[in-house]
C-alpha cells in the first residue's frame, strides 16, 4: 500500500530547531571545508522558509559539532 506510512516523525521540525539553537556553530564553520557564504545563505533560507532547506545544513552542523568536541 502506498498510503501506509507507519510512524511519521517530525524530522523537518527537529532539524530546524537544532539548527536554530546552533547558528553560531554554523557561522564559525571550518572555512577549509565549507563555503561560509553558502552556509550563511542556506541558514538564512532555513530560518525564513517552511521547506526542507534545513536538511542541507545537517551535515555541516554535525561535522562542526564533532570537530568542536
Amino acid at each position: 500500500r502506498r498510503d501506509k506510512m507507519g510512524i511519521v516523525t517530525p524530522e523537518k521540525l527537529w532539524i530546524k530547531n537544532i539548527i536554530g539553537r546552533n547558528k553560531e556553530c554554523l557561522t564559525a564553520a571550518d572555512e577549509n571545508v565549507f563555503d561560509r557564504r553558502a552556509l550563511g545563505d542556506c541558514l538564512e533560507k532555513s530560518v525564513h522558509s517552511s521547506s526542507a532547506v534545513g536538511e542541507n545544513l545537517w551535515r555541516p552542523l554535525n561535522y562542526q559539532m564533532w570537530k568542536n568536541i
Side-chain angles (χ1 to χ4, degrees), residues 1-68:
R1 291 178 32 184
R2 293 178 188 243
D3 61 335
K4 188 174 181 179
M5 294 183 67
I7 298 173
V8 180
T9 57
E11 294 164 349
K12 292 177 186 175
L13 178 62
W14 290 346
I15 290 172
K16 197 167 191 165
N17 287 337
I18 290 168
I19 289 169
R21 289 191 313 258
N22 294 285
K23 287 180 191 176
E24 67 282 347
C25 191
L26 278 170
T27 57
D30 187 346
E31 62 188 38
N32 295 319
V33 178
F34 300 105
D35 179 351
R36 285 188 186 172
R37 184 184 305 172
L39 281 177
D41 292 345
C42 196
L43 180 60
E44 191 67 27
K45 287 179 187 175
S46 74
V47 170
H48 299 294
S49 173
S50 61
S51 68
V53 175
E55 293 175 9
N56 296 329
L57 295 170
W58 176 245
R59 285 189 178 133
L61 177 62
N62 196 13
Y63 168 85
Q64 196 64 28
M65 290 176 78
W66 273 104
K67 185 178 180 234
N68 292 340

